[in-house]
Amino acid sequence: MHEHQHDYYRAIQDSTAQTDSAPFIEFMLGMMRAAIIVFTPQVAPRLTPQVMRLLQVSRGRMSRDQLQAALGLKDRKSFRDRYLRPALDAGLIAMTLPDKPNSRLQQYRLTAATIAASESFFVTATPQQRADSP
């Protein structure tokens, strides 16, 4: 933020002069969007359509069976190879029992980074961008 301090104060000044918070909000959203874009190259190549679908159906903690049912999938190997493993490897989801990967009690959840990125997308995206997202 330090390198954009002048722009920050300018946005505050413009908001004050216009008695409207829009210039400041637009500045802050732009800064958040820029920060997200910095991390996008690391994540984007791993977002296959299958992984995107998995992220979309994930709600809190879910077992493998619950995730497969939510996706309408029956083949465990295909689910593991095309959905679960790529999402785990990319750090988009995490095991609730990482020390016991084969536990019958194992569940999966979205990581904090995935949740933050998705919330930022919905804050900064236009309605059309949100409608066009997979």
Side-chain angles (χ1 to χ4, degrees), residues 15-86:
S15 289
T16 303
Q18 297 174 23
T19 61
D20 182 7
S21 60
F24 180 73
I25 292 170
E26 288 173 3
F27 170 77
M28 291 305 295
L29 289 174
M31 294 301 297
M32 288 187 288
R33 184 175 177 84
I36 291 167
I37 289 171
V38 169
F39 295 105
T40 300
Q42 298 170 4
V43 176
R46 299 178 188 133
L47 293 181
T48 64
Q50 293 82 7
V51 170
M52 288 299 294
R53 284 189 57 218
L54 177 64
L55 298 179
Q56 289 170 341
V57 302
S58 294
R59 301 284 182 265
R61 295 172 177 226
M62 296 176 74
S63 69
R64 176 190 182 121
D65 289 339
Q66 290 171 318
L67 288 169
Q68 278 189 238
L71 291 163
L73 300 173
K74 302 217 185 292
D75 187 320
R76 292 174 64 91
K77 183 178 181 335
S78 175
F79 171 74
R80 183 187 67 234
D81 294 344
R82 298 176 70 209
Y83 293 79
L84 191 58
R85 181 56 43 206

